[in-house]
Amino acid sequence: MISIKNVKYSYETATVLRDVSFQVKKGEKVVILGVNGSGKSTLLKVLNGLIFPSEGEYLYKGERITEKKLKDKAFNKKFRKEVVLLFQSPDSMLFNPTVYDEIAFGLRQLGEDKKVIDEKVRYWADKIGIYRHLDKPPFNLSGGEKQKVCLASLLVLEPELMLLDEPTSNLDPRSTGWFIDFLYELDKTVITTTHNLGLAVEMGERGIVLSENHTVIYDGCLKGFLKDRDKLIEANLVHIHKHRHGKVEHSHYHTHLFFD
Ligand SMILES: Nc1ncnc2c1ncn2[C@@H]1O[C@H](COP(=O)(O)OP(=O)(O)OP(=O)(O)O)[C@@H](O)[C@H]1O
Ligand SMILES: [Mg+2]
């Protein structure tokens, strides 16, 4: 479904993706791991066709995704419906006067029938647990509620590829549990980013790990990665801090994982 080949991406001041290559098959659930600033969000923006690689190429269903390709109206409409991105910060996605309008927005853009839109909005609002907020302005909701509104606004489009940037960052333990179950049952291709190692294994079997140097340093079984101390250290996903056992104080590497 996706093929990324030798992708490089640079902002004005720095290169934040270097020689990134991988493929994702339809139906796979992939987790992208890496420390703050390693390039996870940038990579999802490339996959969503919001920014374009300065070197290398990105193919979606065999089509090369370029700025020019997305100017083709018919292709743009298809791509925007099939590939959706849940932004790391929900505030950057919310701009409609009510939650209802927020969820309906994408379908209205696609020119869907009013009645169909109403059915879909209510169905997803109910499924995601935000039905009671439908008439409220999104800005007044809590961080977790906003994240759920954003999620519903993507799911109404019935996309094929979902790109989820730190989807649980604002969720409490109960909502996180719900989200993990939801993701597990979701019959779609999903690429999720996180730096929460404990949750990562719940979000997919395959992990792609970005280093601080913005290259892929691991692509494979996530559980295998989490057991590989040297790789964890290379990715800087473990840290050292002091802690106490009774009167004894010492330091060693920590992941704060259940098996730590
Ligand atoms: N619009 C931008 N202009 C310039 N630099 C940017 C821009 N967006 C991100 N960066 C830089 O690119 C690097 C990678 O950012 P990115 O947001 O992709 O990292 P990330 O892995 O998602 O981090 P986090 O875990 O904090 O979300 C960072 O050093 C960041 O400062
Ligand atoms: Mg990010």
Side-chain angles (χ1 to χ4, degrees):
M1 185 179 219
I2 283 181
S3 172
I4 284 262
K5 286 185 207 152
N6 309 110
V7 161
K8 176 177 175 183
Y9 186 83
S10 307
Y11 291 108
E12 267 163 36
T13 44
T15 296
V16 300
L17 293 175
R18 272 181 227 278
D19 203 20
V20 173
S21 300
F22 60 83
Q23 297 188 350
V24 176
K25 292 197 197 89
K26 191 169 165 37
E28 263 194 289
K29 297 224 168 79
V30 180
V31 184
I32 297 178
L33 285 168
V35 290
N36 294 134
S38 54
K40 302 181 297 298
S41 297
T42 305
L43 179 56
L44 291 193
K45 284 179 192 158
V46 169
L47 295 176
N48 195 219
L50 297 177
I51 55 178
F52 304 91
S54 39
E55 281 176 26
E57 60 176 18
Y58 165 34
L59 304 179
Y60 171 75
K61 290 188 175 172
E63 297 270 12
R64 189 166 175 183
I65 303 303
T66 58
E67 211 164 353
K68 189 161 167 252
K69 182 87 200 162
L70 286 174
K71 289 213 170 103
D72 172 345
K73 273 197 182 146
F75 183 81
N76 188 290
K77 192 171 167 184
K78 174 178 137 68
F79 184 78
R80 295 282 165 232
K81 185 185 177 307
E82 288 185 15
V83 183
V84 297
L85 169 62
L86 180 74
F87 278 75
Q88 184 162 3
S89 117
D91 284 324
S92 52
M93 285 182 74
L94 301 167
F95 56 92
N96 282 286
T98 67
V99 168
Y100 185 100
D101 293 319
E102 201 65 63
I103 303 174
F105 182 79
L107 292 173
R108 286 176 180 159
Q109 290 292 101
L110 291 170
E112 275 268 24
D113 176 70
K114 222 176 159 186
K115 193 160 161 271
V116 176
I117 294 178
D118 191 60
E119 274 166 20
K120 288 187 180 174
V121 169
R122 292 181 190 283
Y123 172 81
W124 283 107
D126 181 48
K127 197 155 168 70
I128 305 291
I130 47 170
Y131 199 94
R132 66 189 182 284
H133 302 308
L134 277 176
D135 297 331
K136 294 183 191 165
F139 309 103
N140 292 350
L141 302 181
S142 76
E145 288 162 351
K146 282 181 188 170
Q147 213 158 17
K148 289 180 185 175
V149 173
C150 294
L151 191 61
S153 73
L154 302 180
L155 285 162
V156 280
L157 299 174
E158 290 155 12
E160 293 189 23
L161 169 63
M162 296 194 79
L163 308 164
L164 308 176
D165 203 353
E166 313 268 353
T168 57
S169 57
N170 292 309
L171 302 185
D172 63 22
R174 187 181 56 173
S175 292
T176 301
W178 166 83
F179 179 78
I180 297 291
D181 287 344
F182 175 77
L183 193 61
Y184 186 78
E185 281 165 19
L186 196 63
D187 191 16
K188 294 185 192 296
T189 314
V190 186
I191 303 180
T192 314
T193 69
T194 185
H195 31 66
N196 185 328
L197 299 182
L199 276 181
V201 285
E202 310 280 353
M203 294 172 168
E205 284 176 12
R206 175 175 169 201
I208 295 177
V209 185
L210 292 175
S211 69
E212 247 170 333
N213 202 23
H214 316 292
T215 58
V216 173
I217 54 163
Y218 186 89
D219 181 355
C221 166
L222 198 49
K223 285 191 177 145
F225 172 74
L226 295 175
K227 284 184 197 139
D228 188 336
R229 206 178 103 111
D230 292 341
K231 279 278 176 226
L232 282 166
I233 294 170
E234 188 185 349
N236 272 313
L237 286 167
V238 284
H239 58 271
I240 295 178
H241 69 80
K242 283 185 186 155
H243 64 145
R244 292 184 185 83
H245 297 290
K247 284 188 178 152
V248 183
E249 183 181 281
H250 68 167
S251 308
H252 59 75
Y253 280 110
H254 271 275
T255 55
H256 291 288
L257 277 174
F258 47 92
F259 55 75
D260 208 15

